[in-house]
Amino acid sequence: MMRKWKKAMAVLLTCAVVAGSFGGVQNVKAEEAAGVWKVSQLPVKSDTEMFATTGKRLELNVSVNNVDKSNLVYRWYCDGERVHSVGEAVEVKKEKDGNVYYVDTYPNPQTEKLTIDVESGTHRYTCDIYNNTTREVAREAGSFLVTGYDEEVDIMYKESVAIKDIIGKEVSLKEVNIPASASKALTVDAKKQTLKMNKHCSNAKVSLVTTTGQTMEFKVSTEYQQPVIKAKKGALKTYIEGKYRKYSFKNSNVKGASKVVFEYSKKEDSGYKKSKNKEFLIKKGSTCYIRAYAMYGKQKSPYSEPVKIKG
C-alpha cells in the first residue's frame, strides 16, 4: 500500500565535544571543541520531528564536516537503548554447557546511516560519534524524533477512541478535520480529543494538524464486535422420532445491533445454514455446531466462535 511522506529539510547543527568514554576507551580527556564538528542530519523537519505511517522504512543520516570521516565511529540509540539498521544484526550461535545461545551482535563500527521501520508512538533516535584519532566524543550528534501512526484505523461501532491512542501521547494537536461525507458517522469531541463512531463509514480520511504545523492523515472505518453466544442445555425428552435435547442460546457483545442471526452445521468450519430461531433440538447421539452474527442495519458483524452442542 502506498504510504505518504513529505520531503524533509536539512538542519545544520553544531555539536559541542565533551569528555567521556566510548568504544572500550575509558576516561578519555577531550578538549572543548565547540564549533569544530559541524553535523547535519537528514531527513529532519524544522522542528526536528517526523511523522510517518507505521512500517514505513526511513533512513536517518548524520553527516559530519570539517573532520576526517575515516576516523569516526558511530553508535545509534532509540530511547537510550542501542539499536542497529533493519536487517543489520547478526545472529551468532554459541554452545555452552550443553545449551545453545543466540546473541544479536551489532556491526562494529556502525555507519553514519540508520535504517528503521517506523514503530507506533513517538521515539527518539540519537547518534553518538567517536573520533579514533583525537578520542573526542560527540554525544547525541544527531537527534531525531519520529512518531509512527497507523495508516488505517478501525473504531468500534457506538464506541469512542482517544486520538492520542492512535498517534501517541506525546503529540499535541491543533486541528482535527473529518470529511463532510462522514460527519454524521464520525464525530469529534474537541475537549476530550476523542473520535466516536455513530454510524457505519468506510475509509473516511481524517486529517490531523499538530501544534507545530505537521499534518497526519489516516483512514477510519467502522468495526463491529464479535458476538458471544452461550448455550443453555435442556433435559432429554422422548418424542415419536426418538430422544431429543433442546438448547437455547443467549448472546452478548451486540450493542446497537438490529438483530442477531444464528446458523448451524454438522461441521465446525463449513456448511452453515441460517436458523429462524435460537432454539435447537438435537437428537441423542448427534452433535451440531452453532454460531451467530449481528446485523447493524445492512452491516454484518464478524461471526461468533462456534459452540458445540450434543444430544
mmCIF file of all heavy atoms in Angstrom, residues 154-185:
data_model
loop_
_atom_site.group_PDB
_atom_site.id
_atom_site.type_symbol
_atom_site.label_atom_id
_atom_site.label_comp_id
_atom_site.label_asym_id
_atom_site.label_seq_id
_atom_site.Cartn_x
_atom_site.Cartn_y
_atom_site.Cartn_z
ATOM 1 N N ASP A 154 -9.566 1.220 12.735
ATOM 2 C CA ASP A 154 -10.943 0.755 12.923
ATOM 3 C C ASP A 154 -11.445 1.213 14.291
ATOM 4 O O ASP A 154 -10.749 1.042 15.292
ATOM 5 C CB ASP A 154 -11.025 -0.770 12.838
ATOM 6 C CG ASP A 154 -10.708 -1.285 11.443
ATOM 7 O OD1 ASP A 154 -10.989 -0.552 10.478
ATOM 8 O OD2 ASP A 154 -10.182 -2.405 11.319
ATOM 9 N N ILE A 155 -12.638 1.799 14.311
ATOM 10 C CA ILE A 155 -13.242 2.234 15.572
ATOM 11 C C ILE A 155 -14.538 1.465 15.788
ATOM 12 O O ILE A 155 -15.368 1.365 14.883
ATOM 13 C CB ILE A 155 -13.516 3.751 15.563
ATOM 14 C CG1 ILE A 155 -12.198 4.521 15.381
ATOM 15 C CG2 ILE A 155 -14.187 4.185 16.864
ATOM 16 C CD1 ILE A 155 -12.364 6.027 15.332
ATOM 17 N N MET A 156 -14.690 0.917 16.985
ATOM 18 C CA MET A 156 -15.849 0.097 17.296
ATOM 19 C C MET A 156 -17.146 0.899 17.208
ATOM 20 O O MET A 156 -17.209 2.044 17.638
ATOM 21 C CB MET A 156 -15.698 -0.504 18.688
ATOM 22 C CG MET A 156 -16.582 -1.708 18.950
ATOM 23 S SD MET A 156 -16.077 -3.148 17.985
ATOM 24 C CE MET A 156 -14.495 -3.529 18.714
ATOM 25 N N TYR A 157 -18.162 0.289 16.637
ATOM 26 C CA TYR A 157 -19.479 0.903 16.498
ATOM 27 C C TYR A 157 -20.019 1.341 17.852
ATOM 28 O O TYR A 157 -19.968 0.591 18.829
ATOM 29 C CB TYR A 157 -20.425 -0.102 15.846
ATOM 30 C CG TYR A 157 -21.827 0.401 15.598
ATOM 31 C CD1 TYR A 157 -22.075 1.409 14.677
ATOM 32 C CD2 TYR A 157 -22.904 -0.144 16.283
ATOM 33 C CE1 TYR A 157 -23.357 1.867 14.431
ATOM 34 C CE2 TYR A 157 -24.203 0.298 16.050
ATOM 35 C CZ TYR A 157 -24.416 1.310 15.122
ATOM 36 O OH TYR A 157 -25.695 1.756 14.889
ATOM 37 N N LYS A 158 -20.489 2.587 17.926
ATOM 38 C CA LYS A 158 -21.043 3.189 19.142
ATOM 39 C C LYS A 158 -20.011 3.413 20.242
ATOM 40 O O LYS A 158 -20.366 3.679 21.394
ATOM 41 C CB LYS A 158 -22.204 2.346 19.696
ATOM 42 C CG LYS A 158 -23.418 2.251 18.773
ATOM 43 C CD LYS A 158 -24.082 3.599 18.550
ATOM 44 C CE LYS A 158 -25.359 3.479 17.731
ATOM 45 N NZ LYS A 158 -26.002 4.784 17.474
ATOM 46 N N GLU A 159 -18.725 3.308 19.901
ATOM 47 C CA GLU A 159 -17.663 3.500 20.886
ATOM 48 C C GLU A 159 -16.812 4.714 20.517
ATOM 49 O O GLU A 159 -16.838 5.204 19.385
ATOM 50 C CB GLU A 159 -16.781 2.255 20.979
ATOM 51 C CG GLU A 159 -17.505 0.988 21.397
ATOM 52 C CD GLU A 159 -17.883 0.991 22.868
ATOM 53 O OE1 GLU A 159 -17.284 1.782 23.623
ATOM 54 O OE2 GLU A 159 -18.774 0.210 23.258
ATOM 55 N N SER A 160 -16.039 5.194 21.505
ATOM 56 C CA SER A 160 -15.110 6.306 21.302
ATOM 57 C C SER A 160 -13.680 5.824 21.466
ATOM 58 O O SER A 160 -13.417 4.868 22.198
ATOM 59 C CB SER A 160 -15.390 7.441 22.302
ATOM 60 O OG SER A 160 -16.673 7.982 22.119
ATOM 61 N N VAL A 161 -12.767 6.500 20.801
ATOM 62 C CA VAL A 161 -11.353 6.193 20.941
ATOM 63 C C VAL A 161 -10.580 7.503 21.087
ATOM 64 O O VAL A 161 -10.891 8.498 20.426
ATOM 65 C CB VAL A 161 -10.828 5.380 19.734
ATOM 66 C CG1 VAL A 161 -10.946 6.177 18.449
ATOM 67 C CG2 VAL A 161 -9.386 4.939 19.946
ATOM 68 N N ALA A 162 -9.628 7.526 22.003
ATOM 69 C CA ALA A 162 -8.799 8.718 22.195
ATOM 70 C C ALA A 162 -7.842 8.872 21.013
ATOM 71 O O ALA A 162 -7.197 7.895 20.604
ATOM 72 C CB ALA A 162 -8.028 8.619 23.499
ATOM 73 N N ILE A 163 -7.763 10.065 20.468
ATOM 74 C CA ILE A 163 -6.874 10.305 19.331
ATOM 75 C C ILE A 163 -5.426 10.027 19.716
ATOM 76 O O ILE A 163 -4.635 9.533 18.905
ATOM 77 C CB ILE A 163 -7.041 11.752 18.826
ATOM 78 C CG1 ILE A 163 -8.466 11.968 18.310
ATOM 79 C CG2 ILE A 163 -6.032 12.066 17.723
ATOM 80 C CD1 ILE A 163 -8.776 13.382 17.883
ATOM 81 N N LYS A 164 -5.071 10.290 20.947
ATOM 82 C CA LYS A 164 -3.695 10.047 21.391
ATOM 83 C C LYS A 164 -3.352 8.561 21.400
ATOM 84 O O LYS A 164 -2.185 8.191 21.368
ATOM 85 C CB LYS A 164 -3.472 10.659 22.780
ATOM 86 C CG LYS A 164 -3.400 12.178 22.758
ATOM 87 C CD LYS A 164 -3.036 12.744 24.114
ATOM 88 C CE LYS A 164 -2.936 14.274 24.056
ATOM 89 N NZ LYS A 164 -1.787 14.724 23.254
ATOM 90 N N ASP A 165 -4.377 7.700 21.462
ATOM 91 C CA ASP A 165 -4.119 6.266 21.364
ATOM 92 C C ASP A 165 -3.767 5.862 19.937
ATOM 93 O O ASP A 165 -3.225 4.780 19.707
ATOM 94 C CB ASP A 165 -5.340 5.462 21.838
ATOM 95 C CG ASP A 165 -5.544 5.563 23.342
ATOM 96 O OD1 ASP A 165 -4.578 5.905 24.045
ATOM 97 O OD2 ASP A 165 -6.664 5.296 23.812
ATOM 98 N N ILE A 166 -4.090 6.727 18.983
ATOM 99 C CA ILE A 166 -3.786 6.454 17.581
ATOM 100 C C ILE A 166 -2.421 7.007 17.207
ATOM 101 O O ILE A 166 -1.634 6.351 16.528
ATOM 102 C CB ILE A 166 -4.868 7.069 16.670
ATOM 103 C CG1 ILE A 166 -6.239 6.462 16.991
ATOM 104 C CG2 ILE A 166 -4.521 6.863 15.190
ATOM 105 C CD1 ILE A 166 -7.391 7.134 16.260
ATOM 106 N N ILE A 167 -2.120 8.222 17.642
ATOM 107 C CA ILE A 167 -0.899 8.901 17.194
ATOM 108 C C ILE A 167 0.186 8.971 18.258
ATOM 109 O O ILE A 167 1.314 9.373 17.975
ATOM 110 C CB ILE A 167 -1.226 10.329 16.720
ATOM 111 C CG1 ILE A 167 -1.806 11.150 17.874
ATOM 112 C CG2 ILE A 167 -2.168 10.301 15.542
ATOM 113 C CD1 ILE A 167 -2.036 12.603 17.536
ATOM 114 N N GLY A 168 -0.140 8.600 19.500
ATOM 115 C CA GLY A 168 0.846 8.694 20.573
ATOM 116 C C GLY A 168 0.558 9.848 21.517
ATOM 117 O O GLY A 168 0.038 10.891 21.095
ATOM 118 N N LYS A 169 0.881 9.677 22.770
ATOM 119 C CA LYS A 169 0.543 10.652 23.801
ATOM 120 C C LYS A 169 1.418 11.909 23.761
ATOM 121 O O LYS A 169 1.074 12.928 24.339
ATOM 122 C CB LYS A 169 0.645 9.997 25.176
ATOM 123 C CG LYS A 169 -0.347 8.856 25.373
ATOM 124 C CD LYS A 169 -0.211 8.228 26.744
ATOM 125 C CE LYS A 169 -1.227 7.096 26.917
ATOM 126 N NZ LYS A 169 -1.110 6.443 28.245
ATOM 127 N N GLU A 170 2.572 11.818 23.074
ATOM 128 C CA GLU A 170 3.497 12.950 23.075
ATOM 129 C C GLU A 170 3.115 14.045 22.090
ATOM 130 O O GLU A 170 3.674 15.137 22.114
ATOM 131 C CB GLU A 170 4.917 12.459 22.746
ATOM 132 C CG GLU A 170 5.522 11.529 23.788
ATOM 133 C CD GLU A 170 5.102 10.084 23.585
ATOM 134 O OE1 GLU A 170 4.264 9.836 22.682
ATOM 135 O OE2 GLU A 170 5.585 9.218 24.315
ATOM 136 N N VAL A 171 2.153 13.774 21.200
ATOM 137 C CA VAL A 171 1.802 14.716 20.136
ATOM 138 C C VAL A 171 0.676 15.634 20.583
ATOM 139 O O VAL A 171 -0.346 15.187 21.096
ATOM 140 C CB VAL A 171 1.375 13.952 18.859
ATOM 141 C CG1 VAL A 171 1.038 14.940 17.745
ATOM 142 C CG2 VAL A 171 2.479 13.007 18.413
ATOM 143 N N SER A 172 0.860 16.934 20.376
ATOM 144 C CA SER A 172 -0.165 17.928 20.701
ATOM 145 C C SER A 172 -0.864 18.367 19.422
ATOM 146 O O SER A 172 -0.204 18.711 18.435
ATOM 147 C CB SER A 172 0.462 19.141 21.394
ATOM 148 O OG SER A 172 1.046 18.764 22.618
ATOM 149 N N LEU A 173 -2.198 18.379 19.455
ATOM 150 C CA LEU A 173 -2.971 18.676 18.250
ATOM 151 C C LEU A 173 -3.531 20.093 18.232
ATOM 152 O O LEU A 173 -3.875 20.643 19.271
ATOM 153 C CB LEU A 173 -4.131 17.683 18.118
ATOM 154 C CG LEU A 173 -3.754 16.230 17.837
ATOM 155 C CD1 LEU A 173 -5.003 15.372 17.803
ATOM 156 C CD2 LEU A 173 -2.991 16.123 16.527
ATOM 157 N N LYS A 174 -3.628 20.629 17.031
ATOM 158 C CA LYS A 174 -4.232 21.937 16.816
ATOM 159 C C LYS A 174 -5.583 21.801 16.119
ATOM 160 O O LYS A 174 -6.535 22.497 16.446
ATOM 161 C CB LYS A 174 -3.293 22.796 15.982
ATOM 162 C CG LYS A 174 -3.812 24.196 15.692
ATOM 163 C CD LYS A 174 -2.812 24.954 14.823
ATOM 164 C CE LYS A 174 -3.306 26.352 14.495
ATOM 165 N NZ LYS A 174 -2.342 27.066 13.627
ATOM 166 N N GLU A 175 -5.673 20.874 15.145
ATOM 167 C CA GLU A 175 -6.899 20.686 14.379
ATOM 168 C C GLU A 175 -7.167 19.217 14.137
ATOM 169 O O GLU A 175 -6.235 18.411 14.043
ATOM 170 C CB GLU A 175 -6.795 21.384 13.008
ATOM 171 C CG GLU A 175 -6.654 22.879 13.049
ATOM 172 C CD GLU A 175 -6.498 23.466 11.656
ATOM 173 O OE1 GLU A 175 -6.847 22.766 10.682
ATOM 174 O OE2 GLU A 175 -6.019 24.606 11.549
ATOM 175 N N VAL A 176 -8.458 18.875 14.031
ATOM 176 C CA VAL A 176 -8.898 17.553 13.601
ATOM 177 C C VAL A 176 -9.950 17.769 12.520
ATOM 178 O O VAL A 176 -10.983 18.379 12.772
ATOM 179 C CB VAL A 176 -9.496 16.733 14.760
ATOM 180 C CG1 VAL A 176 -9.926 15.361 14.261
ATOM 181 C CG2 VAL A 176 -8.498 16.600 15.900
ATOM 182 N N ASN A 177 -9.689 17.288 11.319
ATOM 183 C CA ASN A 177 -10.594 17.506 10.190
ATOM 184 C C ASN A 177 -11.168 16.191 9.687
ATOM 185 O O ASN A 177 -10.433 15.233 9.440
ATOM 186 C CB ASN A 177 -9.851 18.211 9.046
ATOM 187 C CG ASN A 177 -9.314 19.565 9.475
ATOM 188 O OD1 ASN A 177 -10.035 20.365 10.070
ATOM 189 N ND2 ASN A 177 -8.049 19.830 9.184
ATOM 190 N N ILE A 178 -12.499 16.148 9.548
ATOM 191 C CA ILE A 178 -13.211 14.967 9.067
ATOM 192 C C ILE A 178 -13.971 15.351 7.808
ATOM 193 O O ILE A 178 -14.577 16.428 7.753
ATOM 194 C CB ILE A 178 -14.180 14.445 10.145
ATOM 195 C CG1 ILE A 178 -13.388 13.954 11.354
ATOM 196 C CG2 ILE A 178 -15.062 13.318 9.611
ATOM 197 C CD1 ILE A 178 -14.237 13.572 12.527
ATOM 198 N N PRO A 179 -13.980 14.509 6.777
ATOM 199 C CA PRO A 179 -14.700 14.854 5.550
ATOM 200 C C PRO A 179 -16.199 15.004 5.805
ATOM 201 O O PRO A 179 -16.772 14.310 6.647
ATOM 202 C CB PRO A 179 -14.412 13.668 4.619
ATOM 203 C CG PRO A 179 -13.988 12.557 5.519
ATOM 204 C CD PRO A 179 -13.300 13.207 6.669
ATOM 205 N N ALA A 180 -16.829 15.910 5.068
ATOM 206 C CA ALA A 180 -18.253 16.188 5.255
ATOM 207 C C ALA A 180 -19.105 14.942 5.055
ATOM 208 O O ALA A 180 -20.120 14.752 5.724
ATOM 209 C CB ALA A 180 -18.693 17.286 4.286
ATOM 210 N N SER A 181 -18.669 14.063 4.166
ATOM 211 C CA SER A 181 -19.433 12.847 3.878
ATOM 212 C C SER A 181 -19.493 11.894 5.070
ATOM 213 O O SER A 181 -20.369 11.032 5.140
ATOM 214 C CB SER A 181 -18.817 12.121 2.679
ATOM 215 O OG SER A 181 -17.458 11.792 2.947
ATOM 216 N N ALA A 182 -18.575 12.048 6.023
ATOM 217 C CA ALA A 182 -18.540 11.159 7.182
ATOM 218 C C ALA A 182 -18.850 11.891 8.483
ATOM 219 O O ALA A 182 -18.680 11.333 9.570
ATOM 220 C CB ALA A 182 -17.169 10.492 7.291
ATOM 221 N N SER A 183 -19.315 13.136 8.393
ATOM 222 C CA SER A 183 -19.513 13.959 9.591
ATOM 223 C C SER A 183 -20.593 13.418 10.530
ATOM 224 O O SER A 183 -20.546 13.656 11.740
ATOM 225 C CB SER A 183 -19.844 15.398 9.191
ATOM 226 O OG SER A 183 -21.025 15.428 8.397
ATOM 227 N N LYS A 184 -21.592 12.711 9.981
ATOM 228 C CA LYS A 184 -22.626 12.133 10.837
ATOM 229 C C LYS A 184 -22.191 10.801 11.434
ATOM 230 O O LYS A 184 -22.586 10.445 12.541
ATOM 231 C CB LYS A 184 -23.919 11.950 10.041
ATOM 232 C CG LYS A 184 -24.583 13.258 9.649
ATOM 233 C CD LYS A 184 -25.901 13.001 8.925
ATOM 234 C CE LYS A 184 -26.590 14.319 8.558
ATOM 235 N NZ LYS A 184 -27.876 14.089 7.841
ATOM 236 N N ALA A 185 -21.377 10.083 10.704
ATOM 237 C CA ALA A 185 -20.912 8.782 11.187
ATOM 238 C C ALA A 185 -19.803 8.930 12.224
ATOM 239 O O ALA A 185 -19.743 8.184 13.207
ATOM 240 C CB ALA A 185 -20.421 7.935 10.019
#
